[in-house]
Amino acid sequence: MELGYAVAGLVVGFIVGLTGVGGGSLMTPILLWFGISPATAVGTDLLYAALTKAGGVFVHHKQKHVDWKLTAWLAAGSVPASLLTLGLLSWLHLSSHALDSVFKLVLGVALLLTAASILLKPRLIKLINPQGHPPAEFVLKPLPTVLIGMGLGVLVTLSSIGAGALGTLALFLLYPALPTTRLVGTEIAHAVPLTLVAGLGHASMGNLNYMLLLNLLMGSLPGIWLGSKLTRRLTDAWLRPALAVMLAVVGAKLVM
């Protein structure tokens, strides 16, 4: 089973390196398939995401792909929202069965939203800028950014999903003038503190398997490296729709 976890990490890491999406949205359902409880799957995946994306932040920062002001405003909404969500879960004293049911439902909804964002992003780009003109100058919008952060904070804390595809899409719709490289770098930089806070909160509630986390990292780190190396050789024109359909199917099963 430990080898299976490492292989799962390798496959998910490869897809993330190749397409830039699919981390939590693939890892958490895989852990459920392995028989891990929803609460433990979410908690473990959150710290897994924080550790794997931390290295990406360093690379993007060196390449000046991170807008730190935008990152700070996102975190100003997401981190407090995550802490409040964790506090509410702790205060409610839900049974393990009830807690798993909540995580399973939110996870299913998050997967459906992620699948929709992957499929609809190209059409939204054309809708916002049908003529293909250069977008207006980038202007920071604190209040909407904080609100986006709050929504991501709640969703990520309850499902471990949303910081990637959904966060990137939300930022794109709000800041179409932000270059794609800076948008991706900023999203990754924001995901690290959010997933770290949420993951540590889940760990304090007992929703973390340390050996599982270690096995996932052993597979995912080389997988991300390999996927990144092949990203220019393989097209994701079929990978992204296939990924979206798979996430939608899994999400629908979890919701039903």
Side-chain angles (χ1 to χ4, degrees):
M1 186 63 73
E2 291 182 358
L3 177 61
Y5 295 146
V7 172
L10 178 67
V11 172
V12 172
F14 177 77
I15 294 175
V16 171
L18 188 66
T19 67
V21 298
S25 54
L26 280 176
M27 183 57 72
T28 306
I30 287 175
L31 293 180
L32 294 181
W33 181 76
F34 273 122
I36 304 297
S37 71
T40 302
V42 169
T44 303
D45 185 48
L46 283 167
L47 278 183
Y48 163 80
L51 293 173
T52 53
K53 290 188 176 184
V57 174
F58 177 74
V59 174
H60 280 286
H61 174 68
K62 287 188 65 176
Q63 296 176 343
K64 299 182 179 180
H65 290 168
V66 180
D67 189 309
W68 288 108
K69 288 185 178 180
L70 179 55
T71 301
W73 281 110
L74 282 168
S78 65
V79 172
S82 176
L83 291 172
L84 287 173
T85 303
L86 290 166
L88 179 61
L89 289 175
S90 180
W91 176 74
L92 288 174
H93 295 292
L94 297 175
S95 66
S96 59
H97 177 73
L99 203 58
D100 282 344
S101 297
V102 171
F103 287 136
K104 190 175 180 180
L105 175 61
V106 178
L107 176 60
V109 173
L111 286 172
L112 292 173
L113 291 175
T114 300
S117 70
I118 294 173
L119 289 175
L120 295 178
K121 185 176 179 180
R123 295 187 179 182
L124 290 174
I125 292 175
K126 292 182 179 180
L127 185 64
I128 293 176
N129 191 7
Q131 303 301 324
H133 298 310
E137 184 179 354
F138 169 74
V139 178
L140 186 64
K141 304 171 184 176
L143 181 58
T145 303
V146 170
L147 292 176
I148 288 175
M150 291 173 63
L152 290 175
V154 175
L155 188 62
V156 169
T157 302
L158 292 177
S159 69
S160 77
I161 297 173
L166 292 177
T168 303
L169 179 60
L171 287 180
F172 170 77
L173 295 176
L174 186 60
Y175 299 109
L178 192 67
T180 302
T181 54
R182 288 181 68 81
L183 188 147
V184 173
T186 299
E187 179 276 318
I188 292 176
H190 164 246
V192 171
L194 171 57
T195 53
L196 181 61
V197 168
L200 291 175
H202 276 277
S204 69
M205 298 168 61
N207 300 333
L208 178 63
N209 186 319
Y210 290 96
M211 288 305 299
L212 171 60
L213 175 62
L214 180 61
N215 280 284
L216 293 176
L217 289 172
M218 287 175 61
S220 67
L221 295 179
I224 290 174
W225 178 85
L226 180 61
S228 300
K229 289 293 183 181
L230 294 177
T231 187
R232 293 183 178 180
R233 300 183 184 181
L234 299 177
T235 176
D236 65 356
W238 61 271
L239 276 175
R240 284 177 178 267
L243 178 62
V245 171
M246 181 175 62
L247 296 181
V249 171
V250 176
K253 287 186 177 180
L254 289 174
V255 171
M256 293 178 180

